[in-house]
Amino acid sequence: MIDAMDKAAGLSLDDVRFSARRFRPEFVEGAELCRLSVLTPENDQGLARDLRVALARRMAALNADEALTAQYDAQLAEFDPSRRLSALAEGRTDLAEPLATIARHVDLVTLSPIKAEQSDIARLAEAGLNNPQIVALSELIAFVNFQTRVAAGLRLMRSR
């Protein structure tokens, strides 16, 4: 079965890289379960699925990952997103709170994680996010950035 990581890397069933990923099935399964848990959790902690997908699309675009950006565009379209979520997904910064603070945080951790500080977490709380929401947001940021790096590495293997 082709999973989201395979799709992001452009793998097919007959691709040697597809087979190579299956040498460690626990990693393939773990990555897919992680994706599902951050994008479509049973308890969304007040961070709705459409918001999560909009943020994932934003991060994919920040990472210049066209394939993932297109995947997240398609997923977001299924939600018929509001203008504000579309603006968030497209990378706009002139957003109302708490989206403006969330967007700044996502951008910071995606583009310059070394610059992130405790005060950035405090700003999320000041914008109205509670601890479970901050943790859920952090998990989403970590996963999407992981996903873009693994997909990029798999694509690079294709060129050899």
Side-chain angles (χ1 to χ4, degrees), residues 107-154:
D107 294 357
L108 171 68
V109 177
T110 297
L111 297 173
S112 304
I114 197 163
K115 293 181 180 178
E117 299 178 352
Q118 178 62 35
S119 60
D120 298 305
I121 299 295
R123 275 192 275 289
L124 290 171
E126 290 166 9
L129 276 71
N130 61 35
N131 285 341
Q133 290 171 327
I134 292 169
V135 170
L137 178 62
S138 299
E139 291 169 342
L140 177 66
I141 294 167
F143 176 77
V144 175
N145 284 293
F146 160 79
Q147 184 183 36
T148 61
R149 283 155 182 78
V150 171
L154 289 166

Side-chain angles (χ1 to χ4, degrees), residues 30-61:
E32 183 61 13
L33 290 173
C34 186
R35 183 185 72 80
L36 293 172
S37 73
V38 299
L39 289 170
T40 59
E42 287 183 29
N43 179 348
D44 69 11
Q45 302 295 340
L47 298 178
R49 290 178 180 185
D50 57 351
L51 171 61
R52 290 167 183 259
V53 173
L55 290 168
R57 192 268 183 214
R58 183 183 187 99
M59 287 180 274

